[in-house]
Amino acid sequence: MIEISTDLIKAKKILENNDLVSIPTETVYGLAGNIYSETAIKKIFETKKRPLFNPLIVHIHDKEALTNVAIEIPKNAAKLASYFWPGSLTLVLKKNNNIPDLITAGKDTVAVRVPDHPITLALLKSLQFPLAAPSANPFGSISPTTAQHVADYFPNNLSLVLDGGKCQNGIESTIIGFEENKAVLYRLGSISVEEIEAVIGAIEIKNNNEDAPNAPGMLSRHYAPKTKTLLVNDIANEIQKYKGQRIGLLLFKPNKELFPNTITEVLSETANLKEAMSNLYAAMHRLDKENLDLIIAEKFPNNNLGKSINDRLLRATKN
Ligand code: TXA
Ligand code: MG
């Protein structure tokens, strides 16, 4: 049986014992294990049913610990780390030799970040090793943003979720790597492209498998509810086509038109992108439990965090 608690001592013991704990972060909950324990890392892949070609993110407690994990840190990487850590930025850097191949899927790079959550920072400080932590969901499904989401996914094959409340940002970190010393964005996330560019200037985006062989795991279908999902510009028009069906609506902001006989989730009453992002996955989890025929999501304005939200919604619509 899984336990939801704030018992840091217990979490530490489990992790030191080569087992897994789900940890809160400001983005989504992670499924964490000791990066140096082959037993723990194998368990992460097994528990998530994640393919071994998809590498994990290493979590460290501060940027001084980076040199234990990565080498040859480009100037702009150091600049981004100083600016955004602790926070929702993952850097892909040349790996230190002591990082096991299982973590990096055999690549010579490693993904690393300092998460911005007091409980998890305290846990990381108390440990002698960094934590590898993918999002705590079965491979391909919606990431968890509450401890209960994690418990619902893994009632029997995980013993502890550290409860850190609702994740503030609500979608995964933004991933940035370096190709010939130039910054490249591999995953849109809870720090916007505009915020990154304000620090290091224009950045190339390569966020799907076709143009990013360097970022395995950026699969087109991901973050997906079990219910068939559509992403549209005009909800009122689209909904006409599905008369008589059980429809769930995922709206950015309140809509003057009433949609009778639908279950509607409004992500932000005040059309605030950050608030909508923080509510997105929980709303998707709720709609997915309603036995709907279809979820229709409204496209977001395609800038700032709207671009990151559209990325997740688009991946949720793929079969
Ligand atoms: O917000 C987050 O980043 C959360 C929390 C728990 O920290 N973690 C997370 O992990 O989203 P995960 O495993 O769901 O996504 C990690 C992605 C992989 O799919 C892969 O695309 C990329 O990070 N990645 C990891 N190592 C990489 C590497 N060496 N090179 C390129 N991409 C890498
Ligand atoms: Mg994930």
Side-chain angles (χ1 to χ4, degrees), residues 94-309:
K94 195 116 188 246
K95 83 178 185 108
N96 191 319
N97 266 339
N98 63 9
I99 302 294
D101 283 339
L102 256 181
I103 302 268
T104 63
K107 293 161 64 63
D108 61 358
T109 55
V110 61
V112 56
R113 80 180 190 101
V114 180
D116 189 12
H117 194 293
I119 292 181
T120 289
L121 285 175
L123 177 67
L124 284 167
K125 275 198 189 110
S126 77
L127 295 168
Q128 298 297 316
F129 46 82
L131 293 172
S135 51
N137 51 283
F139 183 65
S141 55
I142 311 165
S143 298
T145 54
T146 66
Q148 190 59 50
H149 290 156
V150 181
D152 290 346
Y153 276 139
F154 305 111
N156 302 315
N157 43 0
L158 184 66
S159 59
L160 179 66
V161 189
L162 263 186
D163 192 358
K166 176 186 160 184
C167 301
Q168 289 297 317
N169 290 351
I171 70 169
E172 295 78 359
S173 59
T174 301
I175 303 182
I176 292 182
F178 295 83
E179 296 180 10
E180 280 147 24
N181 241 10
K182 262 190 63 198
V184 177
L185 189 145
Y186 293 138
R187 179 172 74 181
L188 293 162
S190 56
I191 296 176
S192 69
V193 176
E194 288 85 342
E195 283 175 277
I196 301 284
E197 290 186 331
V199 179
I200 57 164
I203 186 169
E204 188 180 354
I205 302 180
K206 291 191 185 176
N207 68 332
N208 56 51
N209 269 351
E210 293 77 64
D211 49 33
N214 287 332
M218 295 308 295
L219 305 181
S220 58
R221 180 181 165 84
H222 209 144
Y223 317 103
K226 293 196 253 344
T227 316
K228 182 176 156 59
T229 302
L230 299 178
L231 178 61
V232 305
N233 284 314
D234 182 352
I235 292 265
N237 180 47
E238 195 67 24
I239 209 168
Q240 301 303 325
K241 302 181 192 163
Y242 302 97
K243 290 224 167 81
Q245 299 204 31
R246 281 176 54 78
I247 308 279
L249 295 183
L250 198 53
L251 303 183
F252 173 26
K253 52 185 189 288
N255 191 316
K256 291 187 296 296
E257 295 189 50
L258 286 177
F259 301 110
N261 307 319
T262 61
I263 297 180
T264 300
E265 291 279 355
V266 174
L267 294 175
S268 171
E269 289 295 329
T270 57
N272 177 299
L273 286 171
K274 197 158 167 48
E275 182 186 31
M277 179 172 83
S278 125
N279 290 329
L280 176 68
Y281 287 161
M284 285 165 73
H285 279 283
R286 284 193 294 273
L287 287 176
D288 210 20
K289 285 198 175 132
E290 293 285 349
N291 262 316
L292 298 163
D293 297 316
L294 184 67
I295 296 171
I296 306 178
E298 172 175 50
K299 226 178 243 166
F300 277 66
N302 211 32
N303 53 43
N304 294 306
L305 295 172
K307 202 181 179 79
S308 304
I309 298 171

